[in-house]
Structure formats: C-alpha cells, structure tokens
Amino acid sequence: MPPQSEYMSDVWKDGIFANKVVFCTGGAGTICSAQIRALVHLGANACIIGRNVEKTESVAKEIATIRTGAKVIGIGAVDVRKFDSLKSATERCVKELGAIDFVIAGAAGNFLASIEQLSVNAFKSVMDIDVIGSYNTLKATLPYLTQSGSKHRMDLESLKPSPIGTGGRIIFISATLHYRGMPFQTHVSVAKAGIDSLSNSVAIEYGPRGITSNIIAPGPIAQTEGMERLLPSDAKSAYAKAQPLGRFGHVRDIADATIYLFSESGSYVTGQTLVVDGANWRTSEGMGTSATMKYPDFLLSGQEVANVTGKKSKL
C-alpha cells in the first residue's frame, strides 16, 4: 500500500467524506486510482469500474486497505461504450453501497498518430470511449446524483449542506491538448473538447437540481500510463526541464484537486475547468517533441512514432 504522500496532501481533514459513495470509470488507472485512494482515506466508500476484471478487482482490494472499514468494489468487464453495461454497474454499486454521491468519468483511450495514419475506426474508437463513454457514465449515474444533490444542497443562511456533507457532484477527466492544438493528437483533442462541452451543459441543466459538474484537465503527470504511452523515452528529461515549474506533475496533484471539488470548499464551483498542469499548455513545447520528432519535419516524413510503449500509432 502506498504512503499517504503518494496520493494526497496532509492538509485535508479526516472523515470529510464519511458515508459518501464515489463511482469511478477507469478507476484502476494510475490517476483515477489515486483519486479514489484519497477519497476513501477521507471516509468515502467506492465502486471502481474497468475493462480488465483481475486488475480492477485487485486495485479495489488494495484501496480498501487504506482505511479500516472501507468498502471498495471493483467491477470489471464493463465497457463504457455500452450503456447497459454501465447501468448494471451503477445498480450493483447502489445495492451494495447504498448510494452514488460522487462520480469520476475517467475512462479514456489514447495513442500517437497523425491524421494521415489515423484510420476512421481508430478515430471512432477514441470518440466512443471518451465522449460516448462519458455520456453513458453520466446517464447511468444521474438518477442517483440527483438524489444526492437534492439531499446535500448548501443552505444559503448557514452555508452548510443539510445534512452535513456534500453530494451530487461529477468530475470529467479531460486534457489541455485542444486548447492550442497538437500534432498526433487530433482524435483525443476532438474527444476532450466534446467532454468539456458535455460537462458545461450538465452544470447548466442540473445545477437547479443540486448537481455540480466540473472538469479536471491534467498536464504531464509522471509515472502514469499516459505519460509512458505518449512521451518518447528520449524526450522525458528535456521535456521535464522545459516545464515552467521544472518538473512533471504527480498523481497527488490530481487527487488534491478532486478533494477540493468534492468537498464543501468547492460548493459554489461548477461549470469550470480546473487545469492541473503547471502551466504546461501555455508553453511552446508540445508533447512528443524530441531530437527525432521535430515539427513539421517528422510529420511530413510520414514516419510512425517510435520509442513509445502501448498501442501502435498506425491503426
């Protein structure tokens, strides 16, 4: 079990999420699992959703050891592209844990490919996982989020939710790629722009029902699956040095942002994007820049991206 410093800062008050339930797609991933660890540490119970049964169940069991009495369910073999699959998962979550107060839509797909190399099916796959998957997650959990949001609305006079505690909150995990545009990331940029728009619409339509909807947009986060897949190995050191803060982010940075948005301190924050990237997107260095991948020469060469783990770019 990782130490607390690996998944959350020590500034948060224990028990602030007592008796709350969080539902998270992509919950076995490096970023989302840190978010769940932090919430469970602070009192929540959780249901994490994934494709891989063994991995999802294993991560759930490990997270449950963080706090005595914690209940963490891992539900594998769930395809976020299929609504019925998610609906069944939410029903099991509510049956076993009693409610859904918080939702993290974190399932995503990514790889490096130019538009020329990107097939129609590959583009559709990312759109289906990211956009359709996020919408399906929203639709499957909305009945329970609405109940929680109504129950925990903030009272204007006392500035306290009644009963004490928060609920009815959803976070969509996005990115910053589409803010300026980036080569080899067209499919993800389009998908994340759609997710951002979805979250903003939820904030407007469901705010009157007590629900808040926000986006967390991570930048380059060290030792994550995404970083290993997207940043060529020969570029890591130089890329980290080029960051405004001189380093990559940590999964703890994303977990802390999650705690803020789900806690009382985030009660009037909705329809917003919380960028946690160390000002990365405001710099000129793009993901994938290296000695052998200079823009536009590498793009014009038609070569495939090398030295990147995971799915190949030519699909």
Side-chain angles (χ1 to χ4, degrees):
M1 180 175 66
Q4 176 184 330
S5 60
E6 288 293 311
Y7 58 83
M8 60 178 281
S9 300
D10 61 5
V11 300
W12 306 105
K13 182 180 178 180
D14 286 341
I16 58 174
F17 297 128
N19 302 315
K20 297 300 183 294
V21 177
V22 56
F23 182 92
C24 178
T25 60
T30 44
I31 288 179
C32 288
S33 63
Q35 293 173 289
I36 299 303
R37 284 187 181 92
L39 297 172
V40 170
H41 183 108
L42 296 174
N45 292 320
C47 182
I48 65 173
I49 308 303
R51 291 290 298 274
N52 186 295
V53 176
E54 182 179 358
K55 179 181 179 181
T56 304
E57 292 180 352
S58 175
V59 171
K61 289 178 181 178
E62 184 269 315
I63 294 175
T65 65
I66 288 174
R67 175 176 54 82
T68 301
K71 298 178 181 178
V72 182
I73 304 169
I75 306 178
V78 177
D79 187 344
V80 296
R81 297 170 293 184
K82 299 178 180 178
F83 177 75
D84 289 343
S85 183
L86 272 171
K87 187 173 183 293
S88 295
T90 59
E91 290 171 350
R92 178 181 167 187
C93 177
V94 173
K95 181 179 180 180
E96 296 189 28
L97 301 181
I100 294 177
D101 300 291
F102 306 132
V103 173
I104 299 172
N110 199 355
F111 48 87
L112 293 171
S114 66
I115 294 175
E116 185 173 353
Q117 297 166 341
L118 186 66
S119 72
V120 171
N121 286 337
F123 182 86
K124 183 179 183 299
S125 178
V126 172
M127 292 295 290
D128 284 349
I129 294 171
D130 287 39
V131 181
I132 302 301
S134 292
Y135 187 73
N136 286 343
T137 301
L138 170 71
K139 289 289 283 186
T141 58
L142 264 176
Y144 312 108
L145 281 176
T146 302
Q147 292 174 11
S148 180
S150 176
K151 182 179 179 182
H152 298 98
R153 293 179 72 94
M154 182 70 74
D155 179 79
L156 181 61
E157 299 301 323
S158 66
L159 292 181
K160 289 285 186 179
S162 181
I164 298 300
T166 63
R169 303 192 180 182
I170 184 169
I171 290 173
F172 295 89
I173 305 301
S174 186
T176 62
L177 303 168
H178 52 295
Y179 296 175
R180 298 186 312 162
M182 189 172 292
F184 312 112
Q185 290 285 267
T186 300
H187 44 310
V188 183
S189 296
V190 174
K192 296 305 186 184
I195 289 173
D196 291 1
S197 183
L198 172 61
S199 177
N200 295 338
S201 295
V202 175
I204 294 169
E205 290 195 19
Y206 285 89
R209 304 181 191 186
I211 294 176
T212 68
S213 179
N214 291 289
I215 300 152
I216 291 180
I221 306 298
Q223 298 178 328
T224 59
E225 296 164 8
M227 181 66 74
E228 293 302 315
R229 185 178 299 117
L230 301 177
L231 189 63
S233 56
D234 66 341
K236 284 186 172 62
S237 179
Y239 190 69
K241 186 177 180 180
Q243 301 307 302
L245 294 179
R247 67 174 178 89
F248 291 139
H250 193 280
V251 291
R252 186 180 71 179
D253 298 315
I254 310 303
D256 282 336
T258 304
I259 298 169
Y260 162 64
L261 290 174
F262 282 165
S263 70
E264 285 188 35
S265 59
S267 65
Y268 202 55
V269 180
T270 188
Q272 303 302 316
T273 298
L274 180 52
V275 177
V276 187
D277 79 333
N280 165 269
W281 80 269
R282 295 186 182 279
T283 69
S284 60
E285 289 292 321
M287 181 71 79
T289 299
S290 69
T292 58
M293 288 181 62
K294 290 297 182 182
Y295 179 85
D297 298 341
F298 185 84
L299 188 67
L300 293 174
S301 73
Q303 298 179 64
E304 292 186 24
V305 179
N307 300 321
V308 179
T309 61
K311 186 179 289 186
K312 299 294 184 181
S313 60
K314 190 172 184 178
L315 295 171

